[in-house]
Amino acid sequence: MLRGGLDVTGAELALVGASHAGEAFHRQAVVSILEGCGLTVDALQTPPSLPWDEEALVEWVRQGHGREPVAHNCSGKHAGMLRTCVRAGWSLHDYRDAAHPLQRSTRAALAQYTGEPVGDPVVDGCGAPAFAVTLTGLARSFGRLASADDGEARPIADAFRRYPEHASGTRRDEVVFHHEVPGLVCKLGAEGAFAAGLPDGTGIAVKTADGNHRGNIPVLVGVLAALGLATDALLALAPHPVLGHGRPVGRVHLHTATERSLARLAAG
């Protein structure tokens, strides 16, 4: 998007890269991004949705709202897409089409940062093309993003680091990772995916086979622990509790053999 002329910075740039929680400041920033290029939320092609964050959801419903495109977790990305199209002089009605100049540019950027050919797209839950990459490619791209010292990638990485709440949500685990590991850049993805990059160029990508996110945090904390980067605040996130009637009845944690494997990997 930056290559196409996207002209937002800081918190708004973080939101353009976010799968946000639908909190009030997320929705307000989406409106701001669109108003800055003469558009309104009516231009969004995200599916009508409710906020992810439970507290934001309660507030939203109390205000008389239902499912709306601006509340979708990808509305920041779509707002960025639309603003890019305005700045580049591209058509707006078909910005989600894989053949659109915006999406062709996205595919080229993914190939560059993942270092591999990008597969044919499928349709993401938000309606935009989702381009297939390998888990190794995903990890490599986050390592390159986090280690960028200048050029187009550095503002994106800095936006995530400085405004992690805009890139995720005030009550999300990603915020803790950003605050606890200097220079880290991380993002939650769909279907049990989670990726992180470190400033030395190390890339980490986690994918849970059943698509459930509950295994992501213990694994990512385990990897960081093996690298000597896990703080007390991160260790407190794992093991992840399993609740029954609101009370802990079990936990999701790393198998001892996995911990040993990670330690050997980090050592060698």
Side-chain angles (χ1 to χ4, degrees):
M1 295 185 208
L2 294 173
R3 293 173 180 177
L6 179 64
D7 54 344
V8 299
T9 60
E12 290 187 347
L13 184 57
L15 189 75
V16 170
S19 295
H20 65 73
E23 296 174 70
F25 68 92
H26 293 132
R27 304 190 304 268
Q28 291 163 2
V30 170
V31 172
S32 175
I33 292 169
L34 292 170
E35 287 183 343
C37 63
L39 300 176
T40 69
V41 293
D42 292 335
L44 291 170
Q45 294 183 23
T46 42
S49 304
L50 297 169
W52 268 1
D53 183 85
E54 290 186 6
E55 293 185 21
L57 172 60
V58 171
E59 175 193 25
W60 181 250
V61 173
R62 282 177 175 169
Q63 293 173 352
H65 294 284
R67 298 181 183 274
E68 297 182 23
V70 71
H72 193 282
N73 73 89
C74 292
S75 63
K77 291 193 282 283
H78 281 245
M81 292 180 196
L82 285 162
R83 186 154 169 163
T84 302
C85 290
V86 170
R87 297 296 184 241
W90 295 331
S91 58
L92 301 181
H93 70 281
D94 59 343
Y95 73 90
R96 294 186 295 106
D97 192 309
H100 191 281
L102 172 74
Q103 303 302 343
R104 293 203 305 268
S105 178
T106 299
R107 187 171 188 168
L110 284 172
Q112 176 185 342
Y113 280 88
T114 60
E116 62 185 33
V118 176
D120 292 332
V122 295
V123 179
D124 187 73
C126 73
F131 297 98
V133 299
T134 67
L135 201 61
T136 299
L138 179 61
R140 183 183 295 119
S141 69
F142 269 74
R144 289 175 171 173
L145 177 64
S147 62
D149 54 8
D150 55 21
E152 63 187 5
R154 181 60 184 265
I156 302 170
D158 286 347
F160 267 63
R161 291 166 180 147
R162 186 171 181 182
Y163 303 99
E165 294 84 0
H166 280 76
S168 54
T170 56
R171 287 169 283 275
R172 292 262 288 271
D173 292 330
E174 298 99 302
V175 173
V176 182
F177 283 100
H178 276 111
H179 286 323
E180 292 297 315
V181 183
L184 173 141
V185 175
C186 73
K187 168 109 176 23
L188 180 75
E191 294 297 322
F194 201 120
L198 301 176
D200 66 356
T202 299
I204 305 164
V206 180
K207 174 69 174 74
T208 308
D210 65 1
N212 193 305
H213 284 289
R214 65 184 182 182
N216 290 152
I217 302 305
V219 172
L220 185 54
V221 171
V223 173
L224 293 173
L227 295 172
L229 297 173
T231 65
D232 289 342
L234 290 179
L235 293 173
L237 297 177
H240 188 74
V242 177
L243 304 181
H245 201 250
R247 299 171 58 187
V249 296
R251 62 179 183 150
V252 179
H253 62 97
L254 283 185
H255 193 282
T256 302
T258 304
E259 292 180 327
R260 292 171 180 166
S261 296
L262 289 174
R264 288 195 298 269
L265 182 64

